[in-house]
Each structure stands twice: as C-alpha cells, then as structure tokens.
Amino acid sequence: MPRTPVNPPSNPDLDAMLAKALSKETAAVPGGEASAPMDEAAEVDPAEQRCGYVAIVGKPNVGKSTLLNALVGQKVSITSRKAQTTRHRITGMRTVGPTQFIFVDTPGFQTRHGNALNRALNKTVMGAVSDVDLILFVVEAGHFNLADAKVLSLLPANVPVILLANKFDLVHRRGDLAPWLRSMQERHPFTEFVPMSAKTAKDIERLFGICEKFLPQQPWMHDPDDLTDRSERFMASEMVREKLFRLTGDELPYTSTVIIDKFEEEGALKRIAATIVVEREGHKGMVIGEGGEKLKRIGTEARQELEKLWDCKVFLELWVKVRSGWADDDARVRSFGYE
C-alpha cells in the first residue's frame, strides 16, 4: 500500500528567516535611507565607529570577485568566466556612515588538483576565514554541490556565517527556495539568509545594513577614502592576467601568471613592463597570436583599464616566457608572489 507523503515539520525560526529574506522590505542602510548617498563618512564620532573584517568565500566561479567589486564600488578584484581567476587574498574597503567594512575576497577552494599552486591557494582561503568577524558564504541560489560542501566544511564554528544566495534574479519559482533553504540550514546554522544579485545596486545596499550589526564597535583601521590595501604594482599584474584569461578562454591552462618586471612613475605617466609566464611553448604561441595580435590586444585592454582605474597615462610593455612545471614547484610558486 503506497505511503502518504509526510510534510516536514514546520520550523518557526526558519520560516521567519525565509519570510524576512523574501520580503520586499529593504533593510536600513548604515547612515541613512537606502536612497541616500552611502559614503558620507565625515565627522563621525570615533566612539560611534564600527569596523571589522568580512570574508567572502565560496567555490570557484560563484561570483565572489564580482560581489567584492560591487561592495567596494570600484574594481579591485579581477573577474572572468575561467575558474581560479582569483589567486590572492584581495582586501577591499568601504566606509559607509559610521561603519568601515573590510572585505576579504578569497580564491575558490581547489579540490581537483594537488599541485603547489593549488596548495598555496587553499592555504590563502584557510587563512582568510580564521580571523574575521563575519563570513559571507556565497552559493548560487537554489544550488549546492560537492564543491560548495567542501568550502562549507572549512568554515570555523565560532564565526557567524551568512548564506548569500547569489544570482537570485535567475530563480523563476521563488517558492522552490523554501525546501532548499531548509536543507541548507540543516548543513550549517547560518545566521541569516540573503537572496540577492551582486549586480543589483539595491541588493548591495541592503547587504551593508545586514552586515553592519556583526562588526564590533571600534575605531576605523583605514582612511575612509581607501578602497584596497593592494599596491598599484599588484593591480597592474592582476589586470594583465584578467585580460589574458578573458582573451584566451579555455585554450590556455589556468597555470599561467604575470610578473611585473618594471614599475616606474614619471609625473602623470606610469611605465610598466610585465612578463606573462606559461608552461609550454605551445601556450606561448596562443598568447602571442598570429602576428602578435593577441598579445597586442591583451596589452591594449589592460592598459586602457589601468588608465581608467588610476586616471593617468600608462605605457605597458608585455613579454611572454616559458617556465615548465612552475605551478608544481613550491619555491617558484612562492617566488611568483603566491603565499
């Protein structure tokens, strides 16, 4: 005799969390209404200041860097559709009203390859979540797989974690999220559930209001106008690497990197020489392209982005070198700037 399906018992706390998350009400933005300018941090009494670290974690290609850039209000972390684009701990700051948010973007935790490069990336992830005030665990709304589970298993039990369901705008049947959220809450006691799109300004403003209450009341650690703690030299290498990945697509293996050989400033001009490092001669040809056109385009697009970022003229010179097996050589990985 077939058994009648039994609905899971109602969980009032979970139901309230879901109702709050899916409501159309916008959480208050620190310092004023959601429609008001967000970055007015002048003349804040130090006794009222809040400041803390917020780690952004998740599997590769889930939208962490896009989220960080949206939160900071400027591009500080490179993005591409290629997995493992982010390879460093990128810190972005945003001061909103009395609160200074220090966001830490992390590489996606790597489970497929055990080479020296991936060991360094995973070490970066572990270091980023060990000493923060809040963790944003980024997943694609309505989805959860083994890669997500691996990252979730690494999160410390003593730090509040917000389940951030990104790409919520792509979910057509919002009611389907209720059972998904219940299953997620069984995996981890998330403090809050935030469905959002990192590309929607109102969602970003709402997230500031949600995160604020988790940060301690203490003086700011950075100047309110600061956006990142990374150097211009680092940003130059990252911008070249972004264009490299975007313009070569899946043809070029992820084990390619960029080294800055020269960074000089002459008044309003910055002169930069950089080397793109690949593992095989065949990869070198992919980067250079027929008649050098691919390398020229990588350099042009990187230069234009840097000029926009720094509001100055940039002279960028690129070279390509082969270093076989560098990604599996611990010493060389460290020499190329990976922690």
Side-chain angles (χ1 to χ4, degrees), residues 130-187:
S130 62
D131 189 25
V132 296
D133 302 288
L134 176 66
I135 295 173
L136 301 180
F137 177 56
V138 185
V139 296
E140 188 174 339
H143 298 271
F144 188 86
N145 61 22
L146 288 176
D148 296 304
K150 180 64 177 178
V151 178
L152 185 59
S153 70
L154 301 173
L155 304 186
N158 62 335
V159 178
V161 181
I162 289 176
L163 175 62
L164 197 155
N166 196 24
K167 304 179 183 179
F168 183 65
D169 53 315
L170 302 181
V171 176
H172 300 296
R173 297 179 57 180
R174 306 293 168 88
D176 292 344
L177 280 184
W180 175 78
L181 177 59
R182 289 190 178 91
S183 69
M184 292 300 297
Q185 200 67 12
E186 289 172 359
R187 299 176 188 275

Side-chain angles (χ1 to χ4, degrees), residues 11 41 58 60 83 97 103 108 128 138 209 253 266 269 280-281 287 301 325 328 333 335 337:
N11 182 323
F103 296 103
V138 185
E266 301 174 4
L269 170 69
R280 298 179 184 174
E281 283 293 335
V287 174
E301 293 196 11
D328 205 24
V333 165
S335 74

Side-chain angles (χ1 to χ4, degrees), residues 247-296:
L247 294 174
T248 58
D250 293 330
E251 298 176 22
L252 188 70
Y254 78 96
T255 48
S256 307
T257 195
V258 177
I259 307 300
I260 301 298
D261 304 307
K262 181 179 74 173
F263 192 106
E264 298 175 349
E265 298 188 53
E266 301 174 4
L269 170 69
K270 298 183 193 294
R271 292 186 180 274
I272 304 168
T275 299
I276 296 173
V277 179
V278 295
E279 285 202 303
R280 298 179 184 174
E281 283 293 335
H283 301 158
K284 182 177 180 180
M286 293 179 192
V287 174
I288 295 175
E290 187 174 350
E293 284 302 311
K294 183 65 68 67
L295 184 62
K296 182 179 179 181

Side-chain angles (χ1 to χ4, degrees), residues 315-328:
F315 178 81
L316 176 61
E317 189 176 24
L318 295 181
W319 305 88
V320 185
K321 292 183 180 179
V322 178
R323 293 290 182 268
S324 299
W326 78 266
D328 205 24

Side-chain angles (χ1 to χ4, degrees), residues 19-315:
K20 177 183 176 183
L22 297 182
S23 71
K24 295 183 179 180
E25 296 178 8
T26 302
V29 176
E33 297 295 327
S35 59
M38 291 187 7
D39 293 309
E40 296 180 358
E43 304 302 326
V44 175
D45 186 342
E48 298 178 359
Q49 292 179 355
R50 287 180 178 270
C51 182
Y53 286 88
V54 181
I56 303 173
V57 303
K59 68 183 179 184
N61 261 19
V62 77
K64 300 183 299 298
S65 296
T66 299
L67 176 63
L68 174 66
N69 292 336
L71 288 165
V72 172
Q74 181 173 301
K75 188 171 188 173
V76 295
S77 187
I78 65 173
T79 62
S80 81
R81 289 182 292 178
K82 196 177 188 71
Q84 300 171 310
T85 300
T86 300
R87 290 186 182 166
H88 301 268
R89 172 176 170 152
I90 311 293
T91 302
M93 286 83 79
R94 185 75 173 269
T95 302
V96 184
T99 305
Q100 186 169 88
F101 301 83
I102 306 174
F103 296 103
V104 182
D105 184 21
T106 62
F109 195 84
Q110 309 302 323
T111 59
R112 295 180 59 188
H113 308 283
N115 61 20
L117 175 59
N118 281 346
R119 288 195 296 272
L121 301 187
N122 290 345
K123 184 178 179 182
T124 299
V125 179
M126 295 298 291
V129 300
S130 62
D131 189 25
V132 296
D133 302 288
L134 176 66
I135 295 173
L136 301 180
F137 177 56
V138 185
V139 296
E140 188 174 339
H143 298 271
F144 188 86
N145 61 22
L146 288 176
D148 296 304
K150 180 64 177 178
V151 178
L152 185 59
S153 70
L154 301 173
L155 304 186
N158 62 335
V159 178
V161 181
I162 289 176
L163 175 62
L164 197 155
N166 196 24
K167 304 179 183 179
F168 183 65
D169 53 315
L170 302 181
V171 176
H172 300 296
R173 297 179 57 180
R174 306 293 168 88
D176 292 344
L177 280 184
W180 175 78
L181 177 59
R182 289 190 178 91
S183 69
M184 292 300 297
Q185 200 67 12
E186 289 172 359
R187 299 176 188 275
H188 189 93
F190 294 103
T191 305
E192 297 223 20
F193 167 56
V194 181
M196 65 172 290
S197 168
K199 297 180 179 180
T200 302
K202 286 186 177 180
D203 286 351
I204 293 298
E205 291 186 6
R206 182 166 60 95
L207 187 57
F208 279 111
I210 293 170
C211 294
E212 180 189 38
K213 57 182 177 287
F214 294 98
L215 305 188
Q217 200 160 358
Q218 61 180 351
W220 297 337
M221 300 179 190
H222 300 274
D223 187 280
D225 293 327
D226 288 350
L227 297 179
T228 182
D229 64 346
R230 285 297 190 172
S231 68
E232 291 184 340
R233 187 185 185 100
F234 174 82
M235 293 303 298
S237 69
E238 287 289 272
M239 210 63 71
V240 173
R241 195 162 61 85
E242 178 186 73
K243 305 312 175 187
L244 171 69
F245 281 174
R246 287 193 170 190
L247 294 174
T248 58
D250 293 330
E251 298 176 22
L252 188 70
Y254 78 96
T255 48
S256 307
T257 195
V258 177
I259 307 300
I260 301 298
D261 304 307
K262 181 179 74 173
F263 192 106
E264 298 175 349
E265 298 188 53
E266 301 174 4
L269 170 69
K270 298 183 193 294
R271 292 186 180 274
I272 304 168
T275 299
I276 296 173
V277 179
V278 295
E279 285 202 303
R280 298 179 184 174
E281 283 293 335
H283 301 158
K284 182 177 180 180
M286 293 179 192
V287 174
I288 295 175
E290 187 174 350
E293 284 302 311
K294 183 65 68 67
L295 184 62
K296 182 179 179 181
R297 188 177 171 193
I298 291 170
T300 298
E301 293 196 11
R303 174 184 58 77
Q304 291 173 342
E305 189 109 28
L306 290 170
E307 288 180 339
K308 180 181 176 182
L309 180 67
W310 296 330
D311 192 25
C312 71
K313 291 293 293 181
V314 173
F315 178 81

